[in-house]
Amino acid sequence: MNSINTRVLSPHSEGISEAARILADGGLVSFPTETVYGLFANATDDTAVARIYEAKGRPSFNPLIVHVPDVDAAKKYVEFNEDAERLAAAFWPGAITLVLPLKAEAGISKLVTAGLSTLAVRVPHGDAAQAVLRESGLPLSGPSANPSGRVSPTSAQHVISGLSGRIEAVVDGGTCAVGVESTIIGCVGEPTLLRAGGTPVEVIEDCLGRKLGVAGEAIVAPGQLASHYAPQGAVRLNATDKRDGETLLAFGDVAGADLNLSPSGDLVEAAANLFACLHQLDAMNAENIAVSPIPERGLGQAINDRLRRAAAPR
Ligand code: TXA
Ligand code: MG
């Protein structure tokens, strides 16, 4: 692949207009959402979408989320049901993605859905994301803006270090507030948890008034690759001690911490810091990483999901 000059754009009107222009021309632009930085392209343009896969080095069977500015825009592309209406009203804009039946006439590239009859849609929060979506008027497909299998980016600097020379631009809108990707809910039939993420499962179940189903292997398979979000070093989870030669990524009031997701044991703070800490471990050349136990409640579920993938055999 030829290297291209990756520009850093401001999150103000000039930068946003330029981002929208690049996207309309079939280019790739990264900008922040409240969860992580995404790598975006016009979801109706096959060539532009193909370039996302190329830039990330992503396996082509892995479908992408389409981002739109509001629920009305989402309805151009997918069929809503009662559960989806309720979740969208409660959580959009926000860190939840709904998988719904794709409208045949929607014009979304088959590379986005990987040939599935469903489409994942999301209305992101965040000034830069909303501004680019509104200015471009395009449905934008966007995975996280990291090389495939590597740690997701929560700052423009993370995007540059992973994808510089492979994308046209990144809008520098500062650090992402949530820090882990959106929760994905399958809304075809019974609502089902497809990926834990920035909106806690308990809150979603309260909104629906019932428990979420759990996805079977076959549905989980796309995008849920075992090894993912991986720093360079080996990762040991649920570490209650720090062994010789280990770098400790702590949670809570723990002795010997090299980095701490949240010294006070706050899961929201830990989620926001997670990917930045994993990037930092790479910068420190940490070869053996120990991670403190993280409680499996609220955002802890999303954090543990990402950490298990980071620790998976490669
Ligand atoms: O917070 C987020 O969701 C970020 C920001 C940029 O919006 N995006 C993100 O995208 O995490 P990505 O591509 O890294 O993850 C998309 C996930 C994958 O696990 C994929 O398999 C799943 O969504 N997915 C997409 N379309 C699907 C579909 N039709 N059915 C089931 N899963 C789907
Ligand atoms: Mg990703």
mmCIF file of all heavy atoms in Angstrom, residues 21-59:
data_model
loop_
_atom_site.group_PDB
_atom_site.id
_atom_site.type_symbol
_atom_site.label_atom_id
_atom_site.label_comp_id
_atom_site.label_asym_id
_atom_site.label_seq_id
_atom_site.Cartn_x
_atom_site.Cartn_y
_atom_site.Cartn_z
ATOM 1 N N ARG A 21 -15.877 16.587 3.414
ATOM 2 C CA ARG A 21 -15.485 16.605 2.001
ATOM 3 C C ARG A 21 -14.678 15.344 1.653
ATOM 4 O O ARG A 21 -14.919 14.691 0.643
ATOM 5 C CB ARG A 21 -14.673 17.871 1.705
ATOM 6 C CG ARG A 21 -14.494 18.179 0.225
ATOM 7 C CD ARG A 21 -13.438 19.253 -0.010
ATOM 8 N NE ARG A 21 -12.133 18.904 0.519
ATOM 9 C CZ ARG A 21 -11.324 17.976 0.007
ATOM 10 N NH1 ARG A 21 -11.686 17.290 -1.059
ATOM 11 N NH2 ARG A 21 -10.161 17.722 0.570
ATOM 12 N N ILE A 22 -13.732 15.002 2.510
ATOM 13 C CA ILE A 22 -12.906 13.805 2.274
ATOM 14 C C ILE A 22 -13.792 12.555 2.221
ATOM 15 O O ILE A 22 -13.633 11.698 1.345
ATOM 16 C CB ILE A 22 -11.834 13.654 3.386
ATOM 17 C CG1 ILE A 22 -10.832 14.809 3.335
ATOM 18 C CG2 ILE A 22 -11.107 12.311 3.255
ATOM 19 C CD1 ILE A 22 -9.911 14.892 4.560
ATOM 20 N N LEU A 23 -14.741 12.464 3.148
ATOM 21 C CA LEU A 23 -15.636 11.291 3.191
ATOM 22 C C LEU A 23 -16.493 11.213 1.922
ATOM 23 O O LEU A 23 -16.665 10.127 1.351
ATOM 24 C CB LEU A 23 -16.517 11.344 4.439
ATOM 25 C CG LEU A 23 -15.754 11.078 5.751
ATOM 26 C CD1 LEU A 23 -16.536 11.585 6.958
ATOM 27 C CD2 LEU A 23 -15.453 9.582 5.891
ATOM 28 N N ALA A 24 -17.004 12.361 1.457
ATOM 29 C CA ALA A 24 -17.824 12.382 0.237
ATOM 30 C C ALA A 24 -17.008 11.948 -0.978
ATOM 31 O O ALA A 24 -17.540 11.359 -1.926
ATOM 32 C CB ALA A 24 -18.410 13.777 0.020
ATOM 33 N N ASP A 25 -15.709 12.213 -0.946
ATOM 34 C CA ASP A 25 -14.810 11.817 -2.047
ATOM 35 C C ASP A 25 -14.316 10.377 -1.929
ATOM 36 O O ASP A 25 -13.408 9.974 -2.666
ATOM 37 C CB ASP A 25 -13.564 12.728 -2.059
ATOM 38 C CG ASP A 25 -13.879 14.105 -2.603
ATOM 39 O OD1 ASP A 25 -14.993 14.289 -3.135
ATOM 40 O OD2 ASP A 25 -13.006 14.993 -2.484
ATOM 41 N N GLY A 26 -14.817 9.626 -0.951
ATOM 42 C CA GLY A 26 -14.415 8.221 -0.831
ATOM 43 C C GLY A 26 -13.208 7.999 0.059
ATOM 44 O O GLY A 26 -12.634 6.910 0.079
ATOM 45 N N GLY A 27 -12.828 9.041 0.827
ATOM 46 C CA GLY A 27 -11.660 8.916 1.700
ATOM 47 C C GLY A 27 -11.989 8.344 3.069
ATOM 48 O O GLY A 27 -13.157 8.123 3.401
ATOM 49 N N LEU A 28 -10.943 8.115 3.839
ATOM 50 C CA LEU A 28 -11.073 7.577 5.202
ATOM 51 C C LEU A 28 -10.729 8.654 6.220
ATOM 52 O O LEU A 28 -9.668 9.275 6.144
ATOM 53 C CB LEU A 28 -10.109 6.406 5.412
ATOM 54 C CG LEU A 28 -10.246 5.199 4.492
ATOM 55 C CD1 LEU A 28 -9.228 4.123 4.902
ATOM 56 C CD2 LEU A 28 -11.653 4.635 4.539
ATOM 57 N N VAL A 29 -11.638 8.858 7.180
ATOM 58 C CA VAL A 29 -11.400 9.843 8.235
ATOM 59 C C VAL A 29 -11.676 9.186 9.587
ATOM 60 O O VAL A 29 -12.708 8.538 9.771
ATOM 61 C CB VAL A 29 -12.318 11.075 8.084
ATOM 62 C CG1 VAL A 29 -12.084 12.061 9.232
ATOM 63 C CG2 VAL A 29 -12.094 11.763 6.741
ATOM 64 N N SER A 30 -10.777 9.360 10.514
ATOM 65 C CA SER A 30 -11.024 8.935 11.890
ATOM 66 C C SER A 30 -11.514 10.136 12.690
ATOM 67 O O SER A 30 -10.995 11.230 12.542
ATOM 68 C CB SER A 30 -9.735 8.394 12.502
ATOM 69 O OG SER A 30 -9.956 8.095 13.869
ATOM 70 N N PHE A 31 -12.553 9.906 13.493
ATOM 71 C CA PHE A 31 -12.968 10.953 14.445
ATOM 72 C C PHE A 31 -13.465 10.270 15.723
ATOM 73 O O PHE A 31 -13.810 9.084 15.724
ATOM 74 C CB PHE A 31 -14.000 11.918 13.836
ATOM 75 C CG PHE A 31 -15.264 11.310 13.291
ATOM 76 C CD1 PHE A 31 -16.308 10.929 14.122
ATOM 77 C CD2 PHE A 31 -15.426 11.160 11.919
ATOM 78 C CE1 PHE A 31 -17.481 10.408 13.603
ATOM 79 C CE2 PHE A 31 -16.610 10.635 11.386
ATOM 80 C CZ PHE A 31 -17.639 10.263 12.230
ATOM 81 N N PRO A 32 -13.476 11.048 16.837
ATOM 82 C CA PRO A 32 -13.855 10.442 18.106
ATOM 83 C C PRO A 32 -15.368 10.301 18.242
ATOM 84 O O PRO A 32 -16.116 11.172 17.789
ATOM 85 C CB PRO A 32 -13.324 11.437 19.138
ATOM 86 C CG PRO A 32 -13.314 12.754 18.431
ATOM 87 C CD PRO A 32 -13.044 12.456 16.987
ATOM 88 N N THR A 33 -15.804 9.206 18.856
ATOM 89 C CA THR A 33 -17.159 9.131 19.388
ATOM 90 C C THR A 33 -16.980 9.089 20.910
ATOM 91 O O THR A 33 -15.851 9.137 21.396
ATOM 92 C CB THR A 33 -17.888 7.856 18.931
ATOM 93 O OG1 THR A 33 -17.328 6.732 19.613
ATOM 94 C CG2 THR A 33 -17.756 7.661 17.412
ATOM 95 N N GLU A 34 -18.075 8.990 21.646
ATOM 96 C CA GLU A 34 -17.935 8.934 23.105
ATOM 97 C C GLU A 34 -17.260 7.642 23.556
ATOM 98 O O GLU A 34 -16.713 7.573 24.661
ATOM 99 C CB GLU A 34 -19.299 9.100 23.794
ATOM 100 C CG GLU A 34 -20.185 7.859 23.790
ATOM 101 C CD GLU A 34 -20.925 7.646 22.486
ATOM 102 O OE1 GLU A 34 -20.333 7.836 21.401
ATOM 103 O OE2 GLU A 34 -22.102 7.263 22.548
ATOM 104 N N THR A 35 -17.252 6.601 22.697
ATOM 105 C CA THR A 35 -16.677 5.316 23.106
ATOM 106 C C THR A 35 -15.188 5.257 22.762
ATOM 107 O O THR A 35 -14.345 5.202 23.651
ATOM 108 C CB THR A 35 -17.410 4.146 22.446
ATOM 109 O OG1 THR A 35 -17.327 4.257 21.018
ATOM 110 C CG2 THR A 35 -18.862 4.097 22.884
ATOM 111 N N VAL A 36 -14.883 5.212 21.473
ATOM 112 C CA VAL A 36 -13.501 5.163 20.982
ATOM 113 C C VAL A 36 -13.449 5.966 19.675
ATOM 114 O O VAL A 36 -14.481 6.368 19.154
ATOM 115 C CB VAL A 36 -13.035 3.705 20.699
ATOM 116 C CG1 VAL A 36 -13.067 2.858 21.981
ATOM 117 C CG2 VAL A 36 -13.857 3.041 19.602
ATOM 118 N N TYR A 37 -12.241 6.181 19.147
ATOM 119 C CA TYR A 37 -12.106 6.772 17.826
ATOM 120 C C TYR A 37 -12.492 5.717 16.781
ATOM 121 O O TYR A 37 -12.042 4.567 16.845
ATOM 122 C CB TYR A 37 -10.670 7.233 17.559
ATOM 123 C CG TYR A 37 -10.372 8.636 18.045
ATOM 124 C CD1 TYR A 37 -10.297 8.905 19.411
ATOM 125 C CD2 TYR A 37 -10.165 9.680 17.149
ATOM 126 C CE1 TYR A 37 -10.022 10.193 19.865
ATOM 127 C CE2 TYR A 37 -9.884 10.981 17.599
ATOM 128 C CZ TYR A 37 -9.822 11.228 18.954
ATOM 129 O OH TYR A 37 -9.560 12.495 19.404
ATOM 130 N N GLY A 38 -13.344 6.108 15.818
ATOM 131 C CA GLY A 38 -13.713 5.211 14.728
ATOM 132 C C GLY A 38 -12.960 5.570 13.463
ATOM 133 O O GLY A 38 -12.415 6.675 13.341
ATOM 134 N N LEU A 39 -12.899 4.609 12.541
ATOM 135 C CA LEU A 39 -12.304 4.833 11.223
ATOM 136 C C LEU A 39 -13.447 4.790 10.221
ATOM 137 O O LEU A 39 -14.004 3.728 9.963
ATOM 138 C CB LEU A 39 -11.277 3.740 10.924
ATOM 139 C CG LEU A 39 -10.670 3.770 9.527
ATOM 140 C CD1 LEU A 39 -10.043 5.113 9.233
ATOM 141 C CD2 LEU A 39 -9.640 2.668 9.380
ATOM 142 N N PHE A 40 -13.808 5.955 9.663
ATOM 143 C CA PHE A 40 -15.073 6.072 8.962
ATOM 144 C C PHE A 40 -14.917 6.212 7.451
ATOM 145 O O PHE A 40 -13.939 6.780 6.957
ATOM 146 C CB PHE A 40 -15.855 7.280 9.495
ATOM 147 C CG PHE A 40 -16.249 7.101 10.938
ATOM 148 C CD1 PHE A 40 -15.448 7.598 11.955
ATOM 149 C CD2 PHE A 40 -17.396 6.407 11.280
ATOM 150 C CE1 PHE A 40 -15.800 7.424 13.294
ATOM 151 C CE2 PHE A 40 -17.759 6.219 12.610
ATOM 152 C CZ PHE A 40 -16.963 6.732 13.609
ATOM 153 N N ALA A 41 -15.924 5.670 6.744
ATOM 154 C CA ALA A 41 -16.037 5.824 5.298
ATOM 155 C C ALA A 41 -17.519 5.842 4.941
ATOM 156 O O ALA A 41 -18.356 5.379 5.732
ATOM 157 C CB ALA A 41 -15.340 4.678 4.572
ATOM 158 N N ASN A 42 -17.827 6.351 3.763
ATOM 159 C CA ASN A 42 -19.189 6.352 3.243
ATOM 160 C C ASN A 42 -19.669 4.902 3.092
ATOM 161 O O ASN A 42 -19.135 4.149 2.274
ATOM 162 C CB ASN A 42 -19.177 7.077 1.897
ATOM 163 C CG ASN A 42 -20.529 7.048 1.207
ATOM 164 O OD1 ASN A 42 -21.500 6.480 1.709
ATOM 165 N ND2 ASN A 42 -20.584 7.671 0.037
ATOM 166 N N ALA A 43 -20.697 4.534 3.853
ATOM 167 C CA ALA A 43 -21.158 3.130 3.896
ATOM 168 C C ALA A 43 -21.871 2.702 2.616
ATOM 169 O O ALA A 43 -22.207 1.530 2.457
ATOM 170 C CB ALA A 43 -22.083 2.927 5.091
ATOM 171 N N THR A 44 -22.122 3.652 1.711
ATOM 172 C CA THR A 44 -22.772 3.281 0.445
ATOM 173 C C THR A 44 -21.742 3.139 -0.683
ATOM 174 O O THR A 44 -22.113 2.854 -1.818
ATOM 175 C CB THR A 44 -23.832 4.336 0.027
ATOM 176 O OG1 THR A 44 -23.167 5.572 -0.270
ATOM 177 C CG2 THR A 44 -24.854 4.564 1.129
ATOM 178 N N ASP A 45 -20.483 3.345 -0.381
ATOM 179 C CA ASP A 45 -19.425 3.352 -1.400
ATOM 180 C C ASP A 45 -18.522 2.124 -1.195
ATOM 181 O O ASP A 45 -17.722 2.077 -0.258
ATOM 182 C CB ASP A 45 -18.632 4.664 -1.239
ATOM 183 C CG ASP A 45 -17.453 4.795 -2.203
ATOM 184 O OD1 ASP A 45 -16.951 3.770 -2.710
ATOM 185 O OD2 ASP A 45 -17.015 5.939 -2.418
ATOM 186 N N ASP A 46 -18.682 1.117 -2.083
ATOM 187 C CA ASP A 46 -17.937 -0.149 -1.911
ATOM 188 C C ASP A 46 -16.434 0.070 -1.805
ATOM 189 O O ASP A 46 -15.763 -0.557 -0.981
ATOM 190 C CB ASP A 46 -18.181 -1.079 -3.113
ATOM 191 C CG ASP A 46 -19.578 -1.655 -3.109
ATOM 192 O OD1 ASP A 46 -20.123 -1.888 -2.014
ATOM 193 O OD2 ASP A 46 -20.124 -1.875 -4.211
ATOM 194 N N THR A 47 -15.900 0.937 -2.662
ATOM 195 C CA THR A 47 -14.447 1.124 -2.676
ATOM 196 C C THR A 47 -13.978 1.759 -1.376
ATOM 197 O O THR A 47 -12.960 1.353 -0.793
ATOM 198 C CB THR A 47 -14.034 2.023 -3.864
ATOM 199 O OG1 THR A 47 -14.647 1.490 -5.040
ATOM 200 C CG2 THR A 47 -12.537 2.050 -4.029
ATOM 201 N N ALA A 48 -14.735 2.748 -0.906
ATOM 202 C CA ALA A 48 -14.357 3.415 0.344
ATOM 203 C C ALA A 48 -14.388 2.423 1.502
ATOM 204 O O ALA A 48 -13.481 2.398 2.342
ATOM 205 C CB ALA A 48 -15.302 4.588 0.618
ATOM 206 N N VAL A 49 -15.433 1.563 1.532
ATOM 207 C CA VAL A 49 -15.542 0.591 2.625
ATOM 208 C C VAL A 49 -14.399 -0.425 2.534
ATOM 209 O O VAL A 49 -13.807 -0.802 3.554
ATOM 210 C CB VAL A 49 -16.913 -0.111 2.610
ATOM 211 C CG1 VAL A 49 -16.966 -1.185 3.696
ATOM 212 C CG2 VAL A 49 -18.031 0.902 2.812
ATOM 213 N N ALA A 50 -14.081 -0.839 1.313
ATOM 214 C CA ALA A 50 -12.978 -1.795 1.142
ATOM 215 C C ALA A 50 -11.680 -1.221 1.700
ATOM 216 O O ALA A 50 -10.856 -1.941 2.270
ATOM 217 C CB ALA A 50 -12.809 -2.148 -0.331
ATOM 218 N N ARG A 51 -11.519 0.096 1.555
ATOM 219 C CA ARG A 51 -10.295 0.721 2.068
ATOM 220 C C ARG A 51 -10.214 0.657 3.593
ATOM 221 O O ARG A 51 -9.117 0.656 4.146
ATOM 222 C CB ARG A 51 -10.194 2.168 1.583
ATOM 223 C CG ARG A 51 -9.842 2.266 0.089
ATOM 224 C CD ARG A 51 -9.431 3.677 -0.282
ATOM 225 N NE ARG A 51 -8.324 4.137 0.543
ATOM 226 C CZ ARG A 51 -8.171 5.387 0.978
ATOM 227 N NH1 ARG A 51 -9.055 6.317 0.650
ATOM 228 N NH2 ARG A 51 -7.133 5.721 1.712
ATOM 229 N N ILE A 52 -11.382 0.612 4.283
ATOM 230 C CA ILE A 52 -11.348 0.454 5.751
ATOM 231 C C ILE A 52 -10.696 -0.881 6.099
ATOM 232 O O ILE A 52 -9.811 -0.957 6.951
ATOM 233 C CB ILE A 52 -12.776 0.469 6.353
ATOM 234 C CG1 ILE A 52 -13.418 1.842 6.226
ATOM 235 C CG2 ILE A 52 -12.737 0.031 7.821
ATOM 236 C CD1 ILE A 52 -14.817 1.919 6.834
ATOM 237 N N TYR A 53 -11.176 -1.936 5.428
ATOM 238 C CA TYR A 53 -10.626 -3.276 5.707
ATOM 239 C C TYR A 53 -9.126 -3.307 5.411
ATOM 240 O O TYR A 53 -8.342 -3.889 6.154
ATOM 241 C CB TYR A 53 -11.339 -4.333 4.851
ATOM 242 C CG TYR A 53 -12.768 -4.629 5.259
ATOM 243 C CD1 TYR A 53 -13.844 -4.090 4.563
ATOM 244 C CD2 TYR A 53 -13.041 -5.473 6.336
ATOM 245 C CE1 TYR A 53 -15.152 -4.382 4.929
ATOM 246 C CE2 TYR A 53 -14.335 -5.770 6.704
ATOM 247 C CZ TYR A 53 -15.396 -5.223 6.002
ATOM 248 O OH TYR A 53 -16.676 -5.515 6.356
ATOM 249 N N GLU A 54 -8.744 -2.653 4.300
ATOM 250 C CA GLU A 54 -7.333 -2.641 3.917
ATOM 251 C C GLU A 54 -6.487 -1.894 4.955
ATOM 252 O O GLU A 54 -5.438 -2.375 5.391
ATOM 253 C CB GLU A 54 -7.182 -1.985 2.537
ATOM 254 C CG GLU A 54 -5.748 -1.946 2.052
ATOM 255 C CD GLU A 54 -5.583 -1.042 0.839
ATOM 256 O OE1 GLU A 54 -6.146 0.071 0.831
ATOM 257 O OE2 GLU A 54 -4.890 -1.452 -0.091
ATOM 258 N N ALA A 55 -6.977 -0.706 5.354
ATOM 259 C CA ALA A 55 -6.209 0.112 6.303
ATOM 260 C C ALA A 55 -6.028 -0.599 7.643
ATOM 261 O O ALA A 55 -4.978 -0.517 8.272
ATOM 262 C CB ALA A 55 -6.892 1.465 6.509
ATOM 263 N N LYS A 56 -7.081 -1.321 8.070
ATOM 264 C CA LYS A 56 -7.021 -2.007 9.373
ATOM 265 C C LYS A 56 -6.361 -3.370 9.288
ATOM 266 O O LYS A 56 -5.998 -3.947 10.313
ATOM 267 C CB LYS A 56 -8.449 -2.211 9.911
ATOM 268 C CG LYS A 56 -9.051 -0.998 10.578
ATOM 269 C CD LYS A 56 -10.413 -1.326 11.137
ATOM 270 C CE LYS A 56 -10.401 -2.321 12.279
ATOM 271 N NZ LYS A 56 -10.290 -1.738 13.619
ATOM 272 N N GLY A 57 -6.255 -3.919 8.059
ATOM 273 C CA GLY A 57 -5.818 -5.305 7.917
ATOM 274 C C GLY A 57 -6.838 -6.233 8.553
ATOM 275 O O GLY A 57 -6.506 -7.191 9.239
ATOM 276 N N ARG A 58 -8.141 -5.931 8.340
ATOM 277 C CA ARG A 58 -9.216 -6.630 9.049
ATOM 278 C C ARG A 58 -9.741 -7.816 8.235
ATOM 279 O O ARG A 58 -9.938 -7.705 7.032
ATOM 280 C CB ARG A 58 -10.364 -5.640 9.266
ATOM 281 C CG ARG A 58 -11.558 -6.257 9.936
ATOM 282 C CD ARG A 58 -12.600 -5.200 10.269
ATOM 283 N NE ARG A 58 -13.066 -5.485 11.619
ATOM 284 C CZ ARG A 58 -14.083 -4.884 12.205
ATOM 285 N NH1 ARG A 58 -14.734 -3.941 11.611
ATOM 286 N NH2 ARG A 58 -14.444 -5.221 13.398
ATOM 287 N N PRO A 59 -10.014 -8.960 8.909
ATOM 288 C CA PRO A 59 -10.598 -10.103 8.181
ATOM 289 C C PRO A 59 -11.924 -9.673 7.552
ATOM 290 O O PRO A 59 -12.724 -9.026 8.196
ATOM 291 C CB PRO A 59 -10.847 -11.144 9.269
ATOM 292 C CG PRO A 59 -10.072 -10.704 10.453
ATOM 293 C CD PRO A 59 -9.870 -9.227 10.334
#
